[in-house]
Amino acid sequence: MTRTALITGATSGFGAAAVHCFAKAGWRVIATGRRAERLQPLVDAYPGLVHAAAFDVRDSAAMEAALAALPAEFAGIDLLVNNAGLAQGTAPAQNASLDDWRTMIDTNVTALVTLTHRLLPQLVQRKGAIINISSVAGVYPYPGGNAYGGTKAFVSQFSLGLRADLHGTGVRVTTIEPGMAETEFTVVRTHGDQAASDKLYSGANPMTAEDIAEQIFWVASLPAHLNINRLEVMPVTQSFAGFQVARD
Ligand code: NDP
Ligand code: 8X3
């Protein structure tokens, strides 16, 4: 039986790479994101297997319209990959932009719970699965991570809460918590500073979008009696720093 995945944030990075993984394996994929022109090549690459749904995840009416307009063969969703998200800014909290914080909360938290709430009845009915993309930033604090880390901590804890509530339904819930991966993430975080992004990843041998897409696909492909609760993955070159102490 052909299964159907809805992958948010499919115009770039992890989400785009995941569309390739799932479609190559014969899944039907609903690929979403705001930049419709980035979705069409995915539709063209996998005729009949990929459906493009361009909308802003923060716009619940647009989300609802896109779901209502799904062709019949894409209407039964077996897997929700909540991947769309972003960081905005690296300033310490006392200097951070409140607009940036609100954008992160609206996208990473409010939109994620809205789409999850909307799809839960059919995921329960189909014994489906949810894969939420969190971050190491939700587990380990770092200077400038403030609201971004907070949104990702929410994603990880919300996922565990879903596991508890979905007990006995057969629905699987996994959080993937990646560390540093080179995508458009840092260009977006810096409001378009490609040089800053290049500098961050230079010589660091970061993970790639394909690395994370393969993890997403692996989790989704496990036997139905197995649930990975959380999966934390970093490049070998990234690890931890110690506590900091301010002195008089
Ligand atoms: P990218 O910037 O490459 O991709 C982000 C995706 O999210 C894009 O497809 C973008 O689509 C989509 N998106 C953002 N805002 C919205 C919105 N309002 N409505 C619809 N779609 C939106 O970054 P990554 O692939 O790296 O990021 C994917 C996820 O992984 C994010 O949740 C991020 O926080 C997380 N993550 C990333 C890490 C990294 O180091 N790269 C590490 C850990 C977690 P569009 O702009 O077209 O709408
Ligand atoms: C992205 C990973 O370390 O840049 O979520 O915050 S990090």
Side-chain angles (χ1 to χ4, degrees), residues 127-178:
K127 293 194 191 315
I130 301 170
I131 299 177
N132 289 329
I133 307 303
S134 177
S135 169
V136 294
V139 182
Y140 310 101
Y142 60 82
N146 45 66
Y148 178 66
T151 65
K152 293 303 189 178
F154 175 90
V155 172
S156 292
Q157 192 65 16
F158 178 59
S159 305
L160 292 175
L162 286 173
R163 277 280 286 143
D165 288 350
L166 291 164
H167 182 80
T169 64
V171 177
R172 298 188 286 174
V173 185
T174 298
T175 313
I176 300 183
E177 295 165 344

Side-chain angles (χ1 to χ4, degrees), residues 127-242:
K127 293 194 191 315
I130 301 170
I131 299 177
N132 289 329
I133 307 303
S134 177
S135 169
V136 294
V139 182
Y140 310 101
Y142 60 82
N146 45 66
Y148 178 66
T151 65
K152 293 303 189 178
F154 175 90
V155 172
S156 292
Q157 192 65 16
F158 178 59
S159 305
L160 292 175
L162 286 173
R163 277 280 286 143
D165 288 350
L166 291 164
H167 182 80
T169 64
V171 177
R172 298 188 286 174
V173 185
T174 298
T175 313
I176 300 183
E177 295 165 344
M180 178 191 275
E182 185 169 9
T183 61
E184 293 179 11
F185 177 83
T186 299
V187 175
V188 171
R189 184 171 207 167
T190 58
H191 298 284
D193 189 342
Q194 183 66 53
S197 176
D198 293 344
K199 188 173 170 210
L200 176 69
Y201 300 122
S202 174
N205 202 8
M207 296 187 292
T208 64
E210 289 70 27
D211 290 331
I212 300 304
E214 283 166 15
Q215 302 296 318
I216 296 170
F217 184 70
W218 173 73
V219 166
S221 306
L222 287 167
H225 68 287
L226 293 179
N227 194 97
I228 304 289
N229 293 336
R230 63 202 315 165
L231 184 59
E232 182 182 307
V233 52
M234 282 178 165
V236 174
T237 52
Q238 183 180 29
S239 63
F240 318 99

Side-chain angles (χ1 to χ4, degrees), residues 9-15 33-35 55-58 83-86 107 133-135 148 152 178-181 183-185 188 201:
T11 58
S12 172
F14 304 163
R34 288 167 296 185
R35 289 168 288 180
F55 61 91
D56 186 326
V57 285
R58 296 168 299 176
N83 165 74
L86 77 173
T107 310
I133 307 303
S134 177
S135 169
Y148 178 66
K152 293 303 189 178
M180 178 191 275
T183 61
E184 293 179 11
F185 177 83
V188 171
Y201 300 122

Side-chain angles (χ1 to χ4, degrees), residues 52-127:
F55 61 91
D56 186 326
V57 285
R58 296 168 299 176
D59 181 344
S60 55
M63 178 189 290
E64 192 52 50
L67 293 171
L70 288 175
E73 61 274 27
F74 288 87
I77 295 166
D78 303 289
L79 170 66
L80 168 61
V81 181
N82 277 314
N83 165 74
L86 77 173
Q88 294 270 266
T90 54
Q94 59 273 30
N95 299 330
S97 151
L98 182 57
D99 282 346
D100 282 351
W101 283 10
R102 287 186 168 140
T103 299
M104 291 187 279
I105 293 164
D106 290 349
T107 310
N108 302 355
V109 175
T110 308
L112 182 145
V113 301
T114 302
L115 183 56
T116 303
H117 187 269
R118 170 63 171 76
L119 294 182
L120 268 173
Q122 66 168 293
L123 290 167
V124 168
Q125 193 243 323
R126 298 172 75 86
K127 293 194 191 315

